[in-house]
Amino acid sequence: MAIAVTIDGIDKTKFIDWGSLSINNILTSKVDTCSFTTKSYGDRAYEPQAGREVIVTDDGTRVFAGYIVRRDVTASDYKVLQYQCKCVDYTRLLQKKLVANTYENMTIAAIISSIITQYCPGYGLTTTNVVCNKVITKISFNYEPVQQVIEKLANLINYDWWVDYNKNIYFKAPATVS
């Protein structure tokens, strides 16, 4: 089993305190989390920063991907700094932008696709796994985060949704989710 951690695309595996690595995968729209500690001393100096992309793989398979949202630093021993990092998955990207728009006579799939195209360009998010042909006569959003908008659409028709570790958005009927 070969676990690797990259931060902003650079392998930082050697800096991770393996006893501290924790990944909490939650089903559907709930945000997955990851936490770990790095140690920095001598020639092993590395200071992780909040906002950086983190990808954890196990034998090449992604088991977590997201961003550092919090970093605390402590001095444990002489000239040894420990950085405790808290990370959240790519759902974080959907919290950055606010939707202020009205959609009429569109499928939910088309609404979500339109929102991602308009409000999240350049984030690398895909909507090819958004499966819902239910037509909404009219729905308005008044400066609501993209994540909250998708959640409202899912609750409207009792669907599940999530963002995977490759930035793919899924929106499906619960019976089709394995």
Side-chain angles (χ1 to χ4, degrees):
M1 181 161 92
I3 296 176
V5 177
T6 61
I7 300 177
D8 273 354
I10 301 168
D11 186 354
K12 297 297 182 183
T13 303
K14 71 179 183 178
F15 295 101
I16 303 298
D17 174 2
W18 293 108
S20 71
L21 180 65
S22 172
I23 297 172
N24 189 10
N25 299 107
I26 304 174
L27 298 175
T28 66
S29 64
K30 304 303 180 206
V31 177
D32 294 349
T33 61
C34 173
S35 61
F36 58 86
T37 300
T38 65
K39 290 185 179 181
S40 183
Y41 54 89
D43 64 344
R44 291 178 52 113
Y46 173 66
E47 181 180 342
Q49 299 293 321
R52 303 296 188 207
E53 183 178 39
V54 173
I55 298 173
V56 181
T57 58
D58 185 355
D59 286 330
T61 301
R62 288 184 183 201
V63 293
F64 179 83
Y67 297 94
I68 298 172
V69 293
R70 183 174 166 193
R71 185 213 65 180
D72 297 320
V73 61
T74 57
S76 63
D77 293 319
Y78 179 71
K79 293 188 179 182
V80 176
L81 296 176
Q82 288 187 346
Y83 298 95
Q84 295 85 26
C85 298
K86 306 279 187 223
C87 309
V88 297
D89 69 15
Y90 288 136
T91 305
R92 174 84 169 169
L93 294 170
L94 302 176
Q95 298 168 344
K96 292 181 172 189
K97 298 291 183 170
L98 303 177
V99 177
N101 210 337
T102 298
Y103 300 91
E104 295 184 61
N105 299 315
M106 293 175 68
T107 66
I108 289 180
I111 292 170
I112 292 172
S113 180
S114 175
I115 289 169
I116 297 303
T117 299
Q118 183 176 354
Y119 295 96
C120 302
Y123 290 177
L125 295 162
T126 70
T127 58
T128 54
N129 294 298
V130 174
V131 181
C132 184
N133 292 322
K134 169 91 171 126
V135 175
I136 301 295
T137 306
K138 183 175 181 179
I139 192 165
S140 296
F141 303 105
N142 189 18
Y143 296 98
E144 298 174 53
V146 173
Q147 178 184 6
Q148 186 177 329
V149 167
I150 296 173
E151 187 73 26
K152 280 186 177 183
L153 291 168
N155 290 340
L156 192 64
I157 59 170
N158 294 318
Y159 266 43
D160 286 330
W161 76 278
W162 66 95
V163 181
D164 74 7
Y165 298 140
N166 292 302
K167 297 184 181 179
N168 301 310
I169 298 172
Y170 288 79
F171 190 95
K172 296 184 173 194
T176 65
V177 177
S178 58

mmCIF file with all atom_site columns, all heavy atoms in Angstrom, residues 9-26:
data_model
loop_
_atom_site.group_PDB
_atom_site.id
_atom_site.type_symbol
_atom_site.label_atom_id
_atom_site.label_alt_id
_atom_site.label_comp_id
_atom_site.label_asym_id
_atom_site.label_entity_id
_atom_site.label_seq_id
_atom_site.pdbx_PDB_ins_code
_atom_site.Cartn_x
_atom_site.Cartn_y
_atom_site.Cartn_z
_atom_site.occupancy
_atom_site.B_iso_or_equiv
_atom_site.pdbx_formal_charge
_atom_site.auth_seq_id
_atom_site.auth_comp_id
_atom_site.auth_asym_id
_atom_site.auth_atom_id
_atom_site.pdbx_PDB_model_num
ATOM 1   N N   . GLY A 1 9  ? 0.103   19.932 -6.496 1.00 0.00 ? 9  GLY A N   1
ATOM 2   C CA  . GLY A 1 9  ? 0.749   19.129 -7.519 1.00 0.00 ? 9  GLY A CA  1
ATOM 3   C C   . GLY A 1 9  ? 2.165   18.691 -7.203 1.00 0.00 ? 9  GLY A C   1
ATOM 4   O O   . GLY A 1 9  ? 2.814   18.034 -8.019 1.00 0.00 ? 9  GLY A O   1
ATOM 5   N N   . ILE A 1 10 ? 2.662   19.019 -6.021 1.00 0.00 ? 10 ILE A N   1
ATOM 6   C CA  . ILE A 1 10 ? 4.030   18.652 -5.635 1.00 0.00 ? 10 ILE A CA  1
ATOM 7   C C   . ILE A 1 10 ? 3.972   17.593 -4.547 1.00 0.00 ? 10 ILE A C   1
ATOM 8   O O   . ILE A 1 10 ? 3.262   17.753 -3.550 1.00 0.00 ? 10 ILE A O   1
ATOM 9   C CB  . ILE A 1 10 ? 4.817   19.887 -5.143 1.00 0.00 ? 10 ILE A CB  1
ATOM 10  C CG1 . ILE A 1 10 ? 4.875   20.942 -6.267 1.00 0.00 ? 10 ILE A CG1 1
ATOM 11  C CG2 . ILE A 1 10 ? 6.220   19.506 -4.696 1.00 0.00 ? 10 ILE A CG2 1
ATOM 12  C CD1 . ILE A 1 10 ? 5.361   22.296 -5.813 1.00 0.00 ? 10 ILE A CD1 1
ATOM 13  N N   . ASP A 1 11 ? 4.725   16.511 -4.730 1.00 0.00 ? 11 ASP A N   1
ATOM 14  C CA  . ASP A 1 11 ? 4.726   15.410 -3.766 1.00 0.00 ? 11 ASP A CA  1
ATOM 15  C C   . ASP A 1 11 ? 5.298   15.881 -2.428 1.00 0.00 ? 11 ASP A C   1
ATOM 16  O O   . ASP A 1 11 ? 6.455   16.274 -2.340 1.00 0.00 ? 11 ASP A O   1
ATOM 17  C CB  . ASP A 1 11 ? 5.547   14.247 -4.316 1.00 0.00 ? 11 ASP A CB  1
ATOM 18  C CG  . ASP A 1 11 ? 5.473   13.002 -3.440 1.00 0.00 ? 11 ASP A CG  1
ATOM 19  O OD1 . ASP A 1 11 ? 4.878   13.064 -2.343 1.00 0.00 ? 11 ASP A OD1 1
ATOM 20  O OD2 . ASP A 1 11 ? 6.016   11.960 -3.857 1.00 0.00 ? 11 ASP A OD2 1
ATOM 21  N N   . LYS A 1 12 ? 4.462   15.843 -1.401 1.00 0.00 ? 12 LYS A N   1
ATOM 22  C CA  . LYS A 1 12 ? 4.877   16.242 -0.047 1.00 0.00 ? 12 LYS A CA  1
ATOM 23  C C   . LYS A 1 12 ? 4.756   15.070 0.920  1.00 0.00 ? 12 LYS A C   1
ATOM 24  O O   . LYS A 1 12 ? 4.702   15.262 2.141  1.00 0.00 ? 12 LYS A O   1
ATOM 25  C CB  . LYS A 1 12 ? 4.022   17.420 0.445  1.00 0.00 ? 12 LYS A CB  1
ATOM 26  C CG  . LYS A 1 12 ? 4.180   18.672 -0.389 1.00 0.00 ? 12 LYS A CG  1
ATOM 27  C CD  . LYS A 1 12 ? 5.599   19.210 -0.348 1.00 0.00 ? 12 LYS A CD  1
ATOM 28  C CE  . LYS A 1 12 ? 5.730   20.498 -1.146 1.00 0.00 ? 12 LYS A CE  1
ATOM 29  N NZ  . LYS A 1 12 ? 7.100   20.993 -1.167 1.00 0.00 ? 12 LYS A NZ  1
ATOM 30  N N   . THR A 1 13 ? 4.747   13.862 0.387  1.00 0.00 ? 13 THR A N   1
ATOM 31  C CA  . THR A 1 13 ? 4.551   12.655 1.181  1.00 0.00 ? 13 THR A CA  1
ATOM 32  C C   . THR A 1 13 ? 5.537   12.574 2.342  1.00 0.00 ? 13 THR A C   1
ATOM 33  O O   . THR A 1 13 ? 5.164   12.215 3.461  1.00 0.00 ? 13 THR A O   1
ATOM 34  C CB  . THR A 1 13 ? 4.673   11.412 0.277  1.00 0.00 ? 13 THR A CB  1
ATOM 35  O OG1 . THR A 1 13 ? 3.725   11.536 -0.783 1.00 0.00 ? 13 THR A OG1 1
ATOM 36  C CG2 . THR A 1 13 ? 4.413   10.135 1.046  1.00 0.00 ? 13 THR A CG2 1
ATOM 37  N N   . LYS A 1 14 ? 6.796   12.908 2.112  1.00 0.00 ? 14 LYS A N   1
ATOM 38  C CA  . LYS A 1 14 ? 7.824   12.750 3.151  1.00 0.00 ? 14 LYS A CA  1
ATOM 39  C C   . LYS A 1 14 ? 7.620   13.670 4.348  1.00 0.00 ? 14 LYS A C   1
ATOM 40  O O   . LYS A 1 14 ? 8.185   13.450 5.411  1.00 0.00 ? 14 LYS A O   1
ATOM 41  C CB  . LYS A 1 14 ? 9.219   12.949 2.564  1.00 0.00 ? 14 LYS A CB  1
ATOM 42  C CG  . LYS A 1 14 ? 9.545   14.372 2.180  1.00 0.00 ? 14 LYS A CG  1
ATOM 43  C CD  . LYS A 1 14 ? 10.954  14.470 1.629  1.00 0.00 ? 14 LYS A CD  1
ATOM 44  C CE  . LYS A 1 14 ? 11.320  15.912 1.314  1.00 0.00 ? 14 LYS A CE  1
ATOM 45  N NZ  . LYS A 1 14 ? 12.691  16.006 0.824  1.00 0.00 ? 14 LYS A NZ  1
ATOM 46  N N   . PHE A 1 15 ? 6.789   14.693 4.201  1.00 0.00 ? 15 PHE A N   1
ATOM 47  C CA  . PHE A 1 15 ? 6.563   15.631 5.303  1.00 0.00 ? 15 PHE A CA  1
ATOM 48  C C   . PHE A 1 15 ? 5.390   15.240 6.201  1.00 0.00 ? 15 PHE A C   1
ATOM 49  O O   . PHE A 1 15 ? 5.197   15.826 7.253  1.00 0.00 ? 15 PHE A O   1
ATOM 50  C CB  . PHE A 1 15 ? 6.312   17.044 4.750  1.00 0.00 ? 15 PHE A CB  1
ATOM 51  C CG  . PHE A 1 15 ? 7.495   17.619 4.038  1.00 0.00 ? 15 PHE A CG  1
ATOM 52  C CD1 . PHE A 1 15 ? 7.552   17.611 2.658  1.00 0.00 ? 15 PHE A CD1 1
ATOM 53  C CD2 . PHE A 1 15 ? 8.561   18.154 4.748  1.00 0.00 ? 15 PHE A CD2 1
ATOM 54  C CE1 . PHE A 1 15 ? 8.641   18.140 1.987  1.00 0.00 ? 15 PHE A CE1 1
ATOM 55  C CE2 . PHE A 1 15 ? 9.656   18.682 4.091  1.00 0.00 ? 15 PHE A CE2 1
ATOM 56  C CZ  . PHE A 1 15 ? 9.702   18.669 2.703  1.00 0.00 ? 15 PHE A CZ  1
ATOM 57  N N   . ILE A 1 16 ? 4.593   14.250 5.780  1.00 0.00 ? 16 ILE A N   1
ATOM 58  C CA  . ILE A 1 16 ? 3.374   13.890 6.507  1.00 0.00 ? 16 ILE A CA  1
ATOM 59  C C   . ILE A 1 16 ? 3.695   13.024 7.714  1.00 0.00 ? 16 ILE A C   1
ATOM 60  O O   . ILE A 1 16 ? 4.446   12.051 7.623  1.00 0.00 ? 16 ILE A O   1
ATOM 61  C CB  . ILE A 1 16 ? 2.393   13.137 5.575  1.00 0.00 ? 16 ILE A CB  1
ATOM 62  C CG1 . ILE A 1 16 ? 2.067   13.975 4.340  1.00 0.00 ? 16 ILE A CG1 1
ATOM 63  C CG2 . ILE A 1 16 ? 1.123   12.734 6.328  1.00 0.00 ? 16 ILE A CG2 1
ATOM 64  C CD1 . ILE A 1 16 ? 1.383   15.284 4.597  1.00 0.00 ? 16 ILE A CD1 1
ATOM 65  N N   . ASP A 1 17 ? 3.112   13.359 8.871  1.00 0.00 ? 17 ASP A N   1
ATOM 66  C CA  . ASP A 1 17 ? 3.156   12.508 10.059 1.00 0.00 ? 17 ASP A CA  1
ATOM 67  C C   . ASP A 1 17 ? 2.021   11.497 9.873  1.00 0.00 ? 17 ASP A C   1
ATOM 68  O O   . ASP A 1 17 ? 0.855   11.843 10.018 1.00 0.00 ? 17 ASP A O   1
ATOM 69  C CB  . ASP A 1 17 ? 2.949   13.345 11.313 1.00 0.00 ? 17 ASP A CB  1
ATOM 70  C CG  . ASP A 1 17 ? 2.840   12.510 12.575 1.00 0.00 ? 17 ASP A CG  1
ATOM 71  O OD1 . ASP A 1 17 ? 2.967   11.275 12.505 1.00 0.00 ? 17 ASP A OD1 1
ATOM 72  O OD2 . ASP A 1 17 ? 2.614   13.107 13.647 1.00 0.00 ? 17 ASP A OD2 1
ATOM 73  N N   . TRP A 1 18 ? 2.379   10.260 9.518  1.00 0.00 ? 18 TRP A N   1
ATOM 74  C CA  . TRP A 1 18 ? 1.374   9.275  9.100  1.00 0.00 ? 18 TRP A CA  1
ATOM 75  C C   . TRP A 1 18 ? 0.385   8.913  10.194 1.00 0.00 ? 18 TRP A C   1
ATOM 76  O O   . TRP A 1 18 ? -0.746  8.544  9.917  1.00 0.00 ? 18 TRP A O   1
ATOM 77  C CB  . TRP A 1 18 ? 2.036   8.035  8.520  1.00 0.00 ? 18 TRP A CB  1
ATOM 78  C CG  . TRP A 1 18 ? 2.718   8.395  7.243  1.00 0.00 ? 18 TRP A CG  1
ATOM 79  C CD1 . TRP A 1 18 ? 4.059   8.501  7.017  1.00 0.00 ? 18 TRP A CD1 1
ATOM 80  C CD2 . TRP A 1 18 ? 2.076   8.799  6.031  1.00 0.00 ? 18 TRP A CD2 1
ATOM 81  N NE1 . TRP A 1 18 ? 4.288   8.944  5.737  1.00 0.00 ? 18 TRP A NE1 1
ATOM 82  C CE2 . TRP A 1 18 ? 3.084   9.132  5.109  1.00 0.00 ? 18 TRP A CE2 1
ATOM 83  C CE3 . TRP A 1 18 ? 0.752   8.935  5.636  1.00 0.00 ? 18 TRP A CE3 1
ATOM 84  C CZ2 . TRP A 1 18 ? 2.815   9.568  3.820  1.00 0.00 ? 18 TRP A CZ2 1
ATOM 85  C CZ3 . TRP A 1 18 ? 0.481   9.372  4.348  1.00 0.00 ? 18 TRP A CZ3 1
ATOM 86  C CH2 . TRP A 1 18 ? 1.500   9.689  3.455  1.00 0.00 ? 18 TRP A CH2 1
ATOM 87  N N   . GLY A 1 19 ? 0.769   9.055  11.445 1.00 0.00 ? 19 GLY A N   1
ATOM 88  C CA  . GLY A 1 19 ? -0.158  8.788  12.533 1.00 0.00 ? 19 GLY A CA  1
ATOM 89  C C   . GLY A 1 19 ? -1.262  9.823  12.626 1.00 0.00 ? 19 GLY A C   1
ATOM 90  O O   . GLY A 1 19 ? -2.287  9.596  13.266 1.00 0.00 ? 19 GLY A O   1
ATOM 91  N N   . SER A 1 20 ? -1.071  10.960 11.956 1.00 0.00 ? 20 SER A N   1
ATOM 92  C CA  . SER A 1 20 ? -2.054  12.046 12.023 1.00 0.00 ? 20 SER A CA  1
ATOM 93  C C   . SER A 1 20 ? -3.016  12.057 10.844 1.00 0.00 ? 20 SER A C   1
ATOM 94  O O   . SER A 1 20 ? -4.028  12.757 10.893 1.00 0.00 ? 20 SER A O   1
ATOM 95  C CB  . SER A 1 20 ? -1.326  13.393 12.069 1.00 0.00 ? 20 SER A CB  1
ATOM 96  O OG  . SER A 1 20 ? -0.724  13.672 10.805 1.00 0.00 ? 20 SER A OG  1
ATOM 97  N N   . LEU A 1 21 ? -2.721  11.316 9.781  1.00 0.00 ? 21 LEU A N   1
ATOM 98  C CA  . LEU A 1 21 ? -3.562  11.358 8.582  1.00 0.00 ? 21 LEU A CA  1
ATOM 99  C C   . LEU A 1 21 ? -4.919  10.723 8.854  1.00 0.00 ? 21 LEU A C   1
ATOM 100 O O   . LEU A 1 21 ? -5.009  9.581  9.287  1.00 0.00 ? 21 LEU A O   1
ATOM 101 C CB  . LEU A 1 21 ? -2.884  10.640 7.414  1.00 0.00 ? 21 LEU A CB  1
ATOM 102 C CG  . LEU A 1 21 ? -3.668  10.613 6.095  1.00 0.00 ? 21 LEU A CG  1
ATOM 103 C CD1 . LEU A 1 21 ? -3.837  12.010 5.531  1.00 0.00 ? 21 LEU A CD1 1
ATOM 104 C CD2 . LEU A 1 21 ? -2.974  9.711  5.090  1.00 0.00 ? 21 LEU A CD2 1
ATOM 105 N N   . SER A 1 22 ? -5.968  11.501 8.585  1.00 0.00 ? 22 SER A N   1
ATOM 106 C CA  . SER A 1 22 ? -7.332  11.027 8.800  1.00 0.00 ? 22 SER A CA  1
ATOM 107 C C   . SER A 1 22 ? -8.201  11.519 7.653  1.00 0.00 ? 22 SER A C   1
ATOM 108 O O   . SER A 1 22 ? -8.159  12.700 7.308  1.00 0.00 ? 22 SER A O   1
ATOM 109 C CB  . SER A 1 22 ? -7.860  11.562 10.125 1.00 0.00 ? 22 SER A CB  1
ATOM 110 O OG  . SER A 1 22 ? -9.230  11.261 10.274 1.00 0.00 ? 22 SER A OG  1
ATOM 111 N N   . ILE A 1 23 ? -8.980  10.607 7.070  1.00 0.00 ? 23 ILE A N   1
ATOM 112 C CA  . ILE A 1 23 ? -9.898  10.955 5.992  1.00 0.00 ? 23 ILE A CA  1
ATOM 113 C C   . ILE A 1 23 ? -11.286 10.518 6.406  1.00 0.00 ? 23 ILE A C   1
ATOM 114 O O   . ILE A 1 23 ? -11.488 9.387  6.839  1.00 0.00 ? 23 ILE A O   1
ATOM 115 C CB  . ILE A 1 23 ? -9.498  10.281 4.670  1.00 0.00 ? 23 ILE A CB  1
ATOM 116 C CG1 . ILE A 1 23 ? -8.121  10.786 4.231  1.00 0.00 ? 23 ILE A CG1 1
ATOM 117 C CG2 . ILE A 1 23 ? -10.549 10.536 3.593  1.00 0.00 ? 23 ILE A CG2 1
ATOM 118 C CD1 . ILE A 1 23 ? -7.543  10.062 3.041  1.00 0.00 ? 23 ILE A CD1 1
ATOM 119 N N   . ASN A 1 24 ? -12.235 11.442 6.294  1.00 0.00 ? 24 ASN A N   1
ATOM 120 C CA  . ASN A 1 24 ? -13.614 11.166 6.664  1.00 0.00 ? 24 ASN A CA  1
ATOM 121 C C   . ASN A 1 24 ? -14.472 11.313 5.411  1.00 0.00 ? 24 ASN A C   1
ATOM 122 O O   . ASN A 1 24 ? -14.805 12.423 5.009  1.00 0.00 ? 24 ASN A O   1
ATOM 123 C CB  . ASN A 1 24 ? -14.059 12.130 7.762  1.00 0.00 ? 24 ASN A CB  1
ATOM 124 C CG  . ASN A 1 24 ? -15.394 11.770 8.340  1.00 0.00 ? 24 ASN A CG  1
ATOM 125 O OD1 . ASN A 1 24 ? -15.940 10.702 8.075  1.00 0.00 ? 24 ASN A OD1 1
ATOM 126 N ND2 . ASN A 1 24 ? -15.947 12.664 9.138  1.00 0.00 ? 24 ASN A ND2 1
ATOM 127 N N   . ASN A 1 25 ? -14.792 10.175 4.776  1.00 0.00 ? 25 ASN A N   1
ATOM 128 C CA  . ASN A 1 25 ? -15.627 10.174 3.578  1.00 0.00 ? 25 ASN A CA  1
ATOM 129 C C   . ASN A 1 25 ? -17.082 10.021 3.984  1.00 0.00 ? 25 ASN A C   1
ATOM 130 O O   . ASN A 1 25 ? -17.442 9.059  4.644  1.00 0.00 ? 25 ASN A O   1
ATOM 131 C CB  . ASN A 1 25 ? -15.248 9.025  2.643  1.00 0.00 ? 25 ASN A CB  1
ATOM 132 C CG  . ASN A 1 25 ? -13.822 9.128  2.176  1.00 0.00 ? 25 ASN A CG  1
ATOM 133 O OD1 . ASN A 1 25 ? -12.983 8.374  2.621  1.00 0.00 ? 25 ASN A OD1 1
ATOM 134 N ND2 . ASN A 1 25 ? -13.535 10.052 1.305  1.00 0.00 ? 25 ASN A ND2 1
ATOM 135 N N   . ILE A 1 26 ? -17.911 10.970 3.568  1.00 0.00 ? 26 ILE A N   1
ATOM 136 C CA  . ILE A 1 26 ? -19.328 10.953 3.900  1.00 0.00 ? 26 ILE A CA  1
ATOM 137 C C   . ILE A 1 26 ? -20.106 10.831 2.599  1.00 0.00 ? 26 ILE A C   1
ATOM 138 O O   . ILE A 1 26 ? -19.757 11.453 1.598  1.00 0.00 ? 26 ILE A O   1
ATOM 139 C CB  . ILE A 1 26 ? -19.727 12.230 4.665  1.00 0.00 ? 26 ILE A CB  1
ATOM 140 C CG1 . ILE A 1 26 ? -18.861 12.370 5.913  1.00 0.00 ? 26 ILE A CG1 1
ATOM 141 C CG2 . ILE A 1 26 ? -21.195 12.216 5.014  1.00 0.00 ? 26 ILE A CG2 1
ATOM 142 C CD1 . ILE A 1 26 ? -19.049 13.660 6.666  1.00 0.00 ? 26 ILE A CD1 1
#
